[in-house]
Amino acid sequence: MYSTIVIGSGQAGLSAAHHLAKRGVDFLVLDANPGPGGAWQNRWDSLTLGATHHIHPLPDFPLENQDSTRPASAVVKEYYGEYERRFNLPVRHSATVTSVTRVENHFEVHADQLYTARTVINATGTWSNPFWPVYPGQFDGPQVHTNGFISPSQFSGRVLVVGAGASATQFIVQLREAGVDTLWSTRRAPDWREFTGAEWGLDVERQVNERTRAGLPPKSVVGTTGLLLNEKMRAGITSGALVSRGKIARLESDAVVFVDGTREKIDAILWATGFRHAHRHLRNLKLHTEAGGIVMEEDGVSASAMPGIFFVGYGASASTLGATRAGRKAALAAAKYLGDAT
């Protein structure tokens, strides 16, 4: 039996693993991916390091002097892999966790085999759980979600991009630059903001923590932060590319009808509609409230409903900076729980 099993080896999972190792906790990391890189290894090649939100370094290992024109997937895959090797972290890849159950004073974790542990740190993120909205009608052409996007070469003709987040705006810019015509649909008017000052980040974190402590599911990233209004986005607004046509009323075999009654022919749909937290393997623990969230303690990582299970990369810790901090918090909380339980 392990003292702790960490599920997921992305930013949050590796940070937790590092701090567990520093405290001499006996642990194992189980990760569904075939190699290092977390969800980053699945990002499209045109998403360069310079085009991403800032990637915060992992503990005790700076991420410095990186070529901003390289694909973020390649940079982060190499960085995470070196981190696993440098700190000799016990990470088992290709070990998809299918369920976790509580048995008396320990957890049973079902993956490539059965593991047991006194505590669990869940760091599974969202990438494996894309959200596909449902609208009246049916479109018969190609449909791709964010996690299936590779490059603009997948598309031709006229593409409907659905979603109000940063990915949607980046896709539209890329498609337009590649000569692909686009339409943009959002449920609400895009919330453009100029991000300035540390107080803005603290306010975002406060808003997210208020929801998770109340057992509400976290909002989408853009629902809390808004959209970054930079020069490239301003140019897209001016050109009309980044002007939303509003909400979809219904889909037809080769067209979309918006709530204002206008109908447009389309050849494909790119659903940039975000993700939900990948918690299906935890359903036997019955942690979720009727509202769909998990009630968190004041530390932001401990599940109120069940001592011994901790969450990183959830709520306010979904960013790479938040994930790194939460990994430390979860490791400290797990070590304290293990000490108190002896």
Side-chain angles (χ1 to χ4, degrees):
M1 180 184 295
Y2 292 94
S3 294
T4 304
I5 284 181
V6 180
I7 306 174
S9 68
Q11 187 93 9
L14 291 179
S15 175
H18 178 79
H19 287 290
L20 288 170
K22 287 181 70 172
R23 283 154 184 80
V25 176
D26 174 40
F27 72 96
L28 176 69
V29 182
L30 300 176
D31 186 73
N33 292 294
W40 282 98
Q41 65 192 277
N42 302 310
R43 300 295 203 274
W44 49 100
D45 286 347
S46 58
L47 181 65
T48 61
L49 189 65
T52 66
H53 296 300
H54 177 67
I55 298 173
H56 194 75
L58 286 160
D60 299 328
F61 190 34
L63 178 62
E64 297 176 335
N65 303 320
Q66 294 294 331
D67 182 354
S68 63
T69 65
R70 291 188 67 204
S73 57
V75 174
V76 177
K77 184 175 180 178
E78 292 169 5
Y79 178 60
Y80 285 7
E82 179 58 28
Y83 196 80
E84 291 180 14
R85 291 186 292 272
R86 176 170 297 205
F87 294 102
N88 196 29
L89 299 177
V91 180
R92 185 163 299 176
H93 290 289
S94 298
T96 302
V97 174
T98 56
S99 68
V100 178
T101 54
R102 179 84 180 196
V103 180
E104 296 178 349
N105 63 346
H106 68 273
F107 295 91
E108 291 188 348
V109 180
H110 301 259
D112 56 325
Q113 63 186 63
L114 176 63
Y115 302 89
T116 57
R118 293 170 60 199
T119 62
V120 169
I121 297 177
N122 190 79
T124 47
T126 62
W127 187 257
S128 63
N129 192 22
F131 173 64
W132 295 79
V134 176
Y135 290 99
Q138 179 176 313
F139 175 69
D140 294 335
Q143 300 184 54
V144 176
H145 196 276
T146 296
N147 68 352
F149 180 85
I150 300 171
S151 75
S153 63
Q154 291 172 271
F155 304 92
S156 60
R158 200 178 201 192
V159 179
L160 173 66
V161 180
V162 185
S167 293
T169 61
Q170 291 169 7
F171 290 149
I172 290 168
V173 170
Q174 286 187 60
L175 289 166
R176 288 284 181 126
E177 289 176 345
V180 180
D181 189 20
T182 61
L183 293 169
W184 188 23
S185 171
T186 61
R187 290 181 298 171
R188 291 178 291 275
D191 181 14
W192 297 103
R193 302 183 197 178
E194 296 185 36
F195 301 158
T196 56
E199 289 184 3
W200 170 83
L202 292 173
D203 184 56
V204 168
E205 187 170 331
R206 177 189 58 76
Q207 292 179 51
V208 177
N209 283 333
E210 284 177 357
R211 290 185 63 85
T212 55
R213 282 198 290 268
L216 299 171
K219 289 183 178 179
S220 65
V221 173
V222 72
T224 306
T225 67
L227 285 166
L228 173 62
L229 183 59
N230 57 26
E231 289 307 310
K232 181 170 280 193
M233 297 299 116
R234 288 183 192 277
I237 295 170
T238 301
S239 71
L242 292 178
V243 176
S244 173
R245 296 291 297 272
K247 188 176 179 180
I248 296 170
R250 69 177 185 277
L251 297 171
E252 298 180 354
S253 62
D254 62 349
V256 56
V257 179
F258 296 103
V259 291
D260 64 4
T262 57
R263 180 182 183 275
E264 299 283 356
K265 295 265 289 183
I266 56 173
D267 298 289
I269 300 177
L270 177 50
W271 297 99
T273 45
F275 300 80
R276 300 293 184 265
H277 284 278
H279 290 163
R280 191 170 300 172
H281 58 290
L282 302 175
R283 59 188 179 274
N284 291 332
L285 300 179
K286 303 186 186 307
L287 298 173
H288 291 80
T289 65
E290 290 186 4
I294 298 173
V295 179
M296 305 300 293
E297 295 290 302
E298 285 290 328
D299 62 6
V301 296
S302 302
S304 296
M306 185 171 291
I309 185 164
F310 309 93
F311 287 82
V312 290
Y314 179 72
S317 64
S319 68
T320 57
L321 172 59
T324 303
R325 291 173 173 170
R328 180 179 181 276
K329 284 184 179 180
L332 289 172
K336 183 178 185 303
Y337 175 86
L338 292 164
D340 289 347
T342 56

